[in-house]
Amino acid sequence: MDVHLLVYDLSQGMARQMSLSLLGFQLDAIYHTSIKLHGREYVYDGNIVAIMPGTSHLGKPMQEIHLGKTELPKDVIEEYLDSLREIYTVEAYDLWRHNCNNFSNDFATFLLGKGIPSHIANMPQAVLESPFGRMLMPMLDQQIQAKKRAGGILGIQDTTPGSTSKPQSQLHHHVGKVQNVTSLRELDALLEKFKKSCAVIFFTSATCAPCRAVYPLYDDLAGEVGDKGVLIKVDTSKAFDVGSRYSISATPTFITFLHGQQQERWSGANPGALQGNVRLLVQMAWPPHPHQALRLPTLANPDAKPVLFAKVPPLSKLLAKMGTTADHPAVQGVKHFIETRASEGPAETSLPDMEAFTQLVRESLDKLPVELLFTVVDLLRCALVDPRFSGYLAEEKQHRTIISVLTHVNGLATCPYALRLVTLQMTCNLFSSLLYADEILSDGGLRAAVTQLISSSFLDDSHSNVRVAAASLLFNVALANSRKRRDGPGDVLPEDDQVELAASLLEAISQEETSAEALEGMLLALGNLAYRMPLDGDLANLLRTMDAEDTVVGKQKHFPDMRLVAEVGKELLGKGLKRS
């Protein structure tokens, strides 16, 4: 997809005419920018909104700059925009330091690996540094505060159907959409992908008026179903092979599939029948799990969040240990990003030169002595707390940097304590973006590296904080997979990996006798691995074979006040392992 920067002049030409006399330098425009992508214009106007390009009250842009092409799928882009909404809010809007141009720069960096032209991004600072700009700032700030209270900055309203605006409760929750299919190959791929859950095929045609009447309802149902199934639309006037396979003679016709098997078939545009059949199908595909009847307040908490290690050390001291590497502009840029974010908040800083920094990290694996490598990894850890930073690295071509770090650390015959600890904490901070959670669950190479790091770190008898960090990382992995079980599409973490992680975790639990914090993390990880698991699967069988209940309940002797021992041991592994 082509990515364009739309550039507007808020001064309507006055900046070009008067800037030299008022500011002391020539300013061509008071820039307002947005990103044009996939037929939408994405803009920060107190909130992130999506509109039809050029339909705001600002009219047509003065310039449209082609920034490049992105291969990122739309659902990944939407997920990233969700993470930005926590930073780009009405309250955080600042005309000088946190505005539409900062948003455009961060969004472009994620899409393309590079930001917007520097003369646009740096325009507010240039104005601020002029005598006239400093004189104007208090008056303009008062106007912006008044507009914030009115609910918008430029008055741009998000009215685009299917736009990215969502209520806060829906942020980070994938909303399903109707999949339009034009061939048997596409259809079979979708049915295969959702063979463990459910699917609906809506056979329609361009001339079918009753079909069009239920299109809005079908779209709404797709959003309601989310990842728990797939709603498919097939135009029989185009996909002849699909219509032939299912002997479609009239439209609209609907066919449902449950666990890969064809179920119901009916014709006619009856909204009640469509809504009722789809909702019943989802209930059949996702019946209540027996664990939901147990008393598991900690594990059943839908608001549980991943563990992040956000503490920022004195960066000047950290960089002093790097030697000449600390002088690299990419390191200084990330240092500024971290310090500004920590002291003034994420709204006050934009992404640094990501490409230069990730390249430096990879080069440091070979150039820096192993005893100093922790400095670069710790700097990366601090930056990854920001979802913009982790979201950028989650892009397929970029997360090789993380794989390189993990592979290097896992391959060391003897890994220094400081390097192992900050590597575990750095990997935990990848979960500041749900994009990275999905990558860890689904990418075989990355997942294997994370699994190896966790398993080997549990063997560290000398450092309880290493075991705490390893348990935290496993908890994050298990929590991400548990959400997929709850919200769809079911387990993403392969069962072989679950079994391997559970086996190493049970061994670590059996040996933990000194650190309550480490044991609590391990129990949370084990609980989320096991909560709502298939009771006839390999993981459940492993937990029965290894007497997981006795292992956990046995910890009561050393940790009598830990309530998780009873919740995970007696309730989940005791009652919850029984087949219904």
Side-chain angles (χ1 to χ4, degrees), residues 341-420:
R341 188 184 190 280
S343 61
E344 301 179 33
E348 299 301 322
T349 184
S350 294
L351 287 174
D353 188 338
M354 299 294 292
E355 186 173 355
F357 182 67
T358 52
Q359 182 177 346
L360 179 138
V361 171
R362 294 192 298 271
E363 291 174 352
S364 298
L365 298 176
D366 297 320
K367 290 183 178 180
L368 275 182
V370 67
E371 63 271 13
L372 296 181
L373 187 56
F374 80 93
T375 57
V376 172
V377 177
D378 205 26
L379 191 67
L380 178 59
R381 171 192 68 81
C382 295
L384 282 168
V385 170
D386 194 294
R388 294 170 293 179
F389 205 101
S390 54
Y392 171 86
L393 284 175
E395 200 273 317
E396 186 177 0
K397 294 178 182 178
Q398 300 299 334
H399 77 243
R400 69 183 188 278
T401 299
I402 302 299
I403 295 178
S404 297
V405 172
L406 297 181
T407 301
H408 186 85
V409 171
N410 286 334
L412 294 173
T414 302
C415 182
Y417 157 69
L419 177 58
R420 179 173 291 278

Side-chain angles (χ1 to χ4, degrees), residues 358-518:
T358 52
Q359 182 177 346
L360 179 138
V361 171
R362 294 192 298 271
E363 291 174 352
S364 298
L365 298 176
D366 297 320
K367 290 183 178 180
L368 275 182
V370 67
E371 63 271 13
L372 296 181
L373 187 56
F374 80 93
T375 57
V376 172
V377 177
D378 205 26
L379 191 67
L380 178 59
R381 171 192 68 81
C382 295
L384 282 168
V385 170
D386 194 294
R388 294 170 293 179
F389 205 101
S390 54
Y392 171 86
L393 284 175
E395 200 273 317
E396 186 177 0
K397 294 178 182 178
Q398 300 299 334
H399 77 243
R400 69 183 188 278
T401 299
I402 302 299
I403 295 178
S404 297
V405 172
L406 297 181
T407 301
H408 186 85
V409 171
N410 286 334
L412 294 173
T414 302
C415 182
Y417 157 69
L419 177 58
R420 179 173 291 278
L421 179 61
V422 298
T423 301
L424 285 163
Q425 294 175 342
M426 177 272 294
T427 312
C428 282
N429 288 358
L430 297 174
F431 288 83
S432 65
S433 168
L434 282 191
L435 287 175
Y436 230 116
D438 290 342
E439 286 294 336
I440 290 174
L441 292 177
S442 60
D443 184 288
L446 179 59
R447 189 175 62 247
V450 171
T451 299
Q452 183 180 349
L453 178 66
I454 293 171
S455 299
S456 60
S457 299
F458 278 144
L459 301 176
D460 190 335
D461 296 328
S462 303
H463 303 100
S464 63
N465 51 356
V466 168
R467 302 194 300 277
V468 168
S472 299
L473 178 53
L474 182 48
F475 165 75
N476 288 356
V477 173
L479 179 64
N481 188 64
S482 181
R483 283 175 173 158
K484 299 295 184 182
R485 285 176 178 161
R486 182 192 67 204
D487 299 331
D491 277 325
V492 176
L493 186 64
E495 194 163 34
D496 288 348
D497 291 87
Q498 294 183 47
V499 168
E500 180 181 348
L501 288 167
S504 64
L505 187 53
L506 283 171
E507 180 66 22
I509 290 172
S510 68
Q511 297 179 8
E512 187 59 64
E513 296 181 353
T514 58
S515 172
E517 187 178 4

Side-chain angles (χ1 to χ4, degrees), residues 1-3 37 66-72 111-112 114:
M1 291 184 288
D2 287 304
V3 181
L37 175 72
H66 183 253
L67 298 178
K69 288 180 177 289
T70 182
E71 302 299 326
L72 294 174
L111 294 169
L112 303 167
K114 62 179 181 180

Side-chain angles (χ1 to χ4, degrees), residues 126-261:
V127 174
L128 272 177
E129 291 174 353
S130 70
F132 186 72
R134 288 193 292 270
M135 183 179 71
L136 279 179
M137 187 170 66
M139 179 184 67
L140 292 175
D141 280 343
Q142 286 181 358
Q143 293 178 4
I144 290 295
Q145 292 302 322
K147 289 182 178 181
K148 282 183 182 180
R149 291 190 289 271
I153 308 303
L154 299 173
I156 297 174
Q157 299 297 318
D158 188 344
T159 58
T160 306
S163 73
T164 61
S165 285
K166 301 177 188 177
Q168 187 71 25
S169 61
Q170 289 185 17
L171 293 187
H172 300 319
H173 294 280
H174 182 263
V175 177
K177 60 181 181 180
V178 174
Q179 300 292 324
N180 290 287
V181 164
T182 59
S183 70
L184 271 175
R185 181 181 59 81
E186 292 180 65
L187 178 63
D188 288 341
L190 279 173
L191 293 178
E192 175 65 23
K193 181 179 178 181
F194 288 89
K195 69 179 182 180
K196 292 184 178 179
S197 53
C198 59
V200 183
I201 306 178
F202 177 2
F203 293 95
T204 181
S205 63
T207 58
C208 177
C211 296
R212 291 194 294 274
V214 292
Y215 283 173
L217 173 59
Y218 201 62
D219 289 339
D220 290 343
L221 288 170
E224 182 181 315
V225 171
D227 280 334
K228 291 186 175 181
V230 60
L231 269 61
I232 303 166
K233 189 184 292 182
V234 176
D235 187 337
T236 56
S237 63
K238 298 177 181 178
F240 300 107
D241 52 352
V242 180
S244 177
R245 173 193 279 183
Y246 294 99
S247 303
I248 303 301
S249 58
T251 57
T253 293
F254 299 88
I255 299 179
T256 62
F257 293 79
L258 177 64
H259 300 155
Q261 301 298 314

